[in-house]
Amino acid sequence: MLYTIKKDIMKKILLLSFILVLSSCSIFKRTGHMKQKREVIIVGAGISGLSAASYLRKKGYNPIILEAQSKVGGRLKTDRSLGVAFDEGASWIHGPIKNPITKLAQKSGMQTFLTKDESIKVYDIDGSEYLPEFLQQQEELYDNILEEMEGTKNKNFADLFYKEHPQFKDKRLWKYMLSAFLEFDTGGDIYKLSSIDFYDDEVFRGEDIIITNGYDNVANYLAKKLDVRLNTKVRSIDYSNETISIITDNGGYSADMVLVTVPLGVLKKGIINFTPGLPEYTQNVINKLEMGAVNKFLLVWDKPFWNKDLQYVGYTPEEKGKFNYFLNVNKFASTNALMTFAFGEYSRTTEQMTDQEIIDEIMTHLKNIYGNDIPDPINMLRTKWNQNPYSYGAYSFATNGLRSDAFEVFEEPINNKVFFAGEHTIVEYRGTVHGAYLSGIREAKKMSKIK
């Protein structure tokens, strides 16, 4: 009888032990399944950093974005102080068909307007208008020449172009086209621009549309529900150990992976110290690539004196890049304003000029077109992108001596720890908002696959 009782007790003990073993195995499996995602830090809350964080968050990560400025968006910056949305950085969606920014624009409440390049009149320095037929003929010739150009690695665009076509060197209309078209598109002065890879990037289809109520809307939309630490400037990134150490003005952070999305200009200035230093091939590309120089100027009047039906007004000054292209803001906003631009090296010159000096130069051009009786503007807003400590330039471009495939170096993560995104890291769509956005998604996908 006693033996039977002991036997029953032993059976119960064995059964309980077996249940506990199974239970512990189950707990282990659940714990393993619920293992936390790798820690990710993103440096920069521009469009690439925001797109990467949004993607990672959907994949179960909780990325932290460290942003030096007091706002999100990076070079997407809108000034509404004069009653109109003045986008200091990007203004257009280039090729809206199947462009990812188009859908984001709709979701974020951005308002857009279709700009038509053909709605333009171009004037010479004496106020005479270039005949439309002549303009069309010259622009077709310009397009054909650029399409047939075969550059060399160590020769810049201007030197090669003027060597092959010296007849255009002193032609004001050709200075205008090379500036308002090519320098505007690429960001680079034609004397620094690659003579090979000036137009080798890809484009989406459709006529460009301009944002009328502020490009910052898309940045603010993407930033919702993301962990963004503003006013947090990154000083150093130490990836020498298994855990990455990030030091900022507001303390330290640690992570398993870090995505660096600061502009090329910031990398060129060496503002962030990397330990160990970046690979030699990466640093060489950073040193050799250039940031473009494009500045904007918004001028407001009580009443318009220009043709309100026109979209653009062109002007052909002697100096290349000097306030030669005017956008009629009144066409899509209830504000009597014109926006003009400075391209190439002249863009850098404007940053040393006072507001009054800028206004005087612009008004000289406008008076040559519309007469001396037109009034001075009542207000002006301007940009100084080359001095901007958060970018040190407008957008990147391929220089002479460096092929555009050099941009691809940023697609190679360093030790699967340090990743790069931004408009300067995507050869197909460099220099664009959609390029920056897509580069963020590209890197986020890589990061999410690392176990």
Side-chain angles (χ1 to χ4, degrees):
M1 182 70 175
L2 184 61
Y3 172 78
T4 303
I5 292 172
K6 286 183 177 179
K7 189 176 181 180
D8 289 338
I9 292 173
M10 288 300 295
K11 284 182 177 179
K12 289 179 180 179
I13 291 173
L14 288 170
L15 180 61
L16 181 59
S17 299
F18 183 68
I19 291 172
L20 287 171
V21 169
L22 287 177
S23 179
S24 65
C25 289
S26 178
I27 291 171
F28 176 79
K29 287 179 180 178
R30 284 200 301 273
T31 303
H33 182 69
M34 294 173 66
K35 184 180 178 181
Q36 286 189 336
K37 297 283 189 180
R38 292 166 66 84
E39 295 293 330
V40 175
I41 292 287
I42 297 175
V43 183
I47 196 74
S48 57
L50 295 172
S51 68
S54 299
Y55 181 91
L56 289 169
R57 193 172 184 277
K58 291 176 183 177
K59 294 295 182 179
Y61 292 79
N62 293 300
I64 296 173
I65 306 177
L66 307 179
E67 170 55 50
Q69 299 187 74
S70 59
K71 67 166 194 69
V72 299
R75 281 165 281 175
L76 299 184
K77 185 179 180 182
T78 308
D79 186 333
R80 297 179 175 82
S81 62
L82 298 185
V84 61
F86 173 52
D87 277 315
E88 297 184 15
S91 294
W92 281 269
I93 298 178
H94 297 291
I97 298 175
K98 295 186 178 181
N99 188 317
I101 305 301
T102 304
K103 185 176 290 187
L104 280 174
Q106 296 167 349
K107 290 181 178 179
S108 64
M110 287 205 308
Q111 298 169 8
T112 61
F113 178 83
L114 178 65
T115 53
K116 296 183 177 180
D117 292 344
E118 63 272 17
S119 178
I120 186 173
K121 287 188 177 182
V122 182
Y123 298 87
D124 201 1
I125 55 175
D126 62 357
S128 61
E129 181 189 346
Y130 289 92
L131 294 177
E133 297 81 5
F134 178 72
L135 272 182
Q136 183 177 352
Q137 177 212 19
Q138 293 298 293
E139 288 182 14
E140 288 176 356
L141 179 58
Y142 165 89
D143 289 337
N144 291 336
I145 290 176
L146 263 62
E147 189 173 334
E148 295 172 0
M149 270 190 68
E150 295 183 4
T152 59
K153 183 177 179 180
N154 293 308
K155 190 175 286 290
N156 66 59
F157 178 93
D159 284 348
L160 182 67
F161 179 85
Y162 288 129
K163 180 181 179 181
E164 295 181 354
H165 306 282
Q167 70 273 26
F168 298 131
K169 189 170 180 62
D170 296 320
K171 296 289 185 180
R172 289 187 294 274
L173 180 60
W174 279 79
K175 290 180 185 179
Y176 158 80
M177 291 191 293
L178 290 170
S179 173
F181 301 169
L182 185 57
E183 289 185 332
F184 196 1
D185 287 348
T186 64
D189 187 281
I190 57 173
Y191 284 94
K192 291 184 177 179
L193 187 66
S194 167
S195 62
I196 307 175
D197 298 328
F198 53 92
Y199 269 154
D200 68 325
D201 48 336
E202 298 178 19
V203 295
F204 288 102
R205 292 185 298 110
E207 292 186 79
D208 294 349
I209 54 178
I210 194 169
I211 310 304
T212 61
N213 65 334
Y215 227 128
D216 60 350
N217 281 288
V218 71
N220 294 331
Y221 171 79
L222 283 173
K224 290 179 180 178
K225 299 181 181 180
L226 296 178
D227 187 353
V228 183
R229 314 286 172 90
L230 299 175
N231 301 304
T232 305
K233 188 174 184 178
V234 172
R235 294 295 185 180
S236 66
I237 298 173
D238 185 339
Y239 63 100
S240 60
N241 299 312
E242 184 174 351
T243 299
I244 302 170
S245 174
I246 299 102
I247 303 300
T248 79
D249 286 347
N250 291 329
Y253 294 81
S254 60
D256 299 304
M257 297 180 287
V258 60
L259 175 60
V260 180
T261 73
V262 298
L264 173 66
V266 174
L267 293 175
K268 290 178 72 67
K269 289 286 185 180
I271 291 171
I272 299 176
N273 181 57
F274 291 88
T275 304
L278 295 176
E280 185 177 356
Y281 58 85
T282 304
Q283 190 61 55
N284 283 342
V285 168
I286 290 172
N287 294 340
K288 291 180 180 179
L289 284 177
E290 291 280 350
M291 282 294 279
V294 174
N295 276 312
K296 295 180 174 182
F297 305 85
L298 180 79
L299 298 96
V300 179
W301 285 266
D302 286 324
K303 296 179 180 179
F305 52 80
W306 57 90
N307 185 343
K308 293 193 298 181
D309 292 329
L310 282 178
Q311 183 69 78
Y312 298 102
V313 175
Y315 181 75
T316 58
E318 294 289 355
E319 190 166 359
K320 178 180 65 65
K322 182 180 180 180
F323 312 128
N324 56 14
Y325 200 53
F326 293 85
L327 170 69
N328 176 19
V329 178
N330 187 264
K331 185 77 172 176
F332 52 80
S334 57
T335 302
N336 299 314
L338 295 173
M339 184 163 66
T340 189
F341 308 85
F343 308 118
E345 285 307 302
Y346 189 76
S347 174
R348 302 182 190 279
T349 300
T350 63
E351 298 194 12
Q352 310 305 319
M353 298 167 65
T354 66
D355 287 357
Q356 191 57 54
E357 287 173 334
I358 294 289
I359 291 172
D360 289 345
E361 293 293 340
I362 292 173
M363 288 305 297
T364 295
H365 293 187
L366 291 175
K367 286 180 179 180
N368 286 343
I369 299 172
Y370 298 107
N372 292 325
D373 294 333
I374 61 173
D376 286 342
I378 56 175
N379 276 306
M380 181 185 74
L381 295 175
R382 62 186 293 191
T383 64
K384 295 182 179 181
W385 280 112
N386 304 292
Q387 297 178 20
N388 188 300
Y390 304 109
S391 65
Y392 294 104
Y395 39 96
S396 61
F397 66 94
T399 61
N400 59 301
L402 200 69
R403 296 301 305 273
S404 63
D405 58 9
F407 288 91
E408 294 176 348
V409 73
F410 296 107
E411 296 185 26
E412 301 175 22
I414 303 172
N415 300 339
N416 276 344
K417 290 182 177 181
V418 181
F419 300 74
F420 293 93
E423 56 83 13
H424 59 286
T425 73
I426 181 165
V427 65
E428 299 94 338
Y429 302 110
R430 61 186 183 271
T432 64
V433 177
H434 55 266
Y437 177 86
L438 290 171
S439 74
I441 301 294
R442 178 197 70 209
E443 296 307 303
K445 287 181 177 179
K446 293 178 189 174
M447 299 171 87
S448 66
K449 292 177 182 178
I450 296 175
K451 305 301 181 183

